[in-house]
Amino acid sequence: MLKQIRTVAAVALLTVTTYAVAVETGASHPDTYVVRKGDTLWDIAARFLKKPWLWPEIWQANPQVKNPHLIYPGDVLSLAYLDRVTPQGTVQPGKRDEAPINAIPLAQVEPFLKNLTVMDSFKELPYVVGLEDNRMRASAGQQAYVRGLQGAQPGQRYAVLRPTVRYGQPKPSDDLDERGNVTPFTGDLWKSYVASSDRHELLGYELAQVATGTVTHVGSGERETSTLLLQASGREVRAGDRLVPVQANPYDLQFVPHAPTAAVADGHLRVLAVADTLTSGGPRDVIAISGGTRDGIDNGTVFSVWRSRRHVTDRVTGMATSRTDDALKPGAGRVSLPAEYAAHAMVFRTFDRVSYALVMEGTKPARVGYELKHPDAQ
């Protein structure tokens, strides 16, 4: 499963221009490698080179790979440097008796691609005011009654979204209630993960898709409700959920992994949240980060995720204490520890000031407040 997920950042390679880079190789590597079931170029580069995102080096050394979306078990790849001549006859196609290694296992990330969006505001959107038989919750096959749908047409399809989180700086997130208001005290946890700063900015509101539906009746007056017949649903619909028209193709179908196109300043980008968990996530988990298209981030951008510098009391020369926790800011009697690498993550959906990324691999969990850096950061 993990190897399939890594395919998102590996064999999705593809519209790459001339790529010239000095490659640091591992201690040793064979001249050729036979592709096995489950391999990706990301994995192969990670095994034989020190930096898995240097997969274009392997691709360019193998001109017989016309379409990296279609490498097969049994294909023989040259691992020679670009300026070396590949021995004649050592690179060849496999037998083609197995299915090709697909570019992207889209089903693994599709729920996140579909179900999470970020908006600057949402309270002006139409919203569910009641449900069939005065239910507290409703699902597929039942009716929801909506206020604010004037102008819609019977047969038009809508997505039902639930406001879940407000993202900002320096506080990463606050939970939202059914009215879309901040739930008191839910954001207090952030103080344990992100140091306070002078940067105060609303980054956006997250809305999670819970269902889709088709309009069957449109109300005529401001106080009249319209009827939405609920269809596909991931969660039950409730009063207060918002509506937006269904998008035909709301996300990319392919990703081209690459390093950030713009420089990443230390401390500028951080992990805001981990989807469906409280504070930490590992491979295959989705994280929200505090940067988007305005920062030059696009789909396929790869970051390394780092535990931020921490500051601890020197119990040898400083004040004696039994406390083992660390501080987010330096202070008297404290010494600074270096940042620590945690994981790599690839962006798969971007908005203006927030993006979502899939954790690809790592040595420790990615947590709220961790910094994002260039994938080659040391």
Side-chain angles (χ1 to χ4, degrees), residues 317-369:
T317 63
M319 181 176 60
T321 178
S322 61
R323 297 185 63 181
T324 59
D325 60 335
D326 50 19
L328 294 167
K329 285 192 172 184
R334 293 187 178 272
V335 294
S336 300
L337 305 181
E340 299 173 358
Y341 166 77
H344 281 99
M346 188 198 72
V347 172
F348 64 81
R349 192 165 190 190
T350 58
F351 300 92
D352 185 36
R353 296 183 293 275
V354 175
S355 298
Y356 292 104
L358 187 72
V359 178
M360 305 301 298
E361 57 187 356
T363 59
K364 56 172 60 74
R367 303 183 71 183
V368 171

Side-chain angles (χ1 to χ4, degrees), residues 35-39 69-75 95-102:
V35 176
R36 301 174 183 175
K37 186 175 182 179
D39 277 340
H69 286 285
L70 298 176
I71 63 173
Y72 289 77
D75 284 352
K95 295 181 179 180
R96 300 302 193 261
D97 55 1
E98 295 188 57
I101 299 174
N102 197 13

Side-chain angles (χ1 to χ4, degrees), residues 12 32 46 52 65 68 73 126 197 267 330 344:
T32 61
V65 180
S197 73
H344 281 99

Side-chain angles (χ1 to χ4, degrees), residues 16-31:
V16 182
T17 56
T18 302
Y19 191 98
V21 62
V23 174
E24 296 181 73
T25 62
S28 62
H29 63 82
D31 286 338

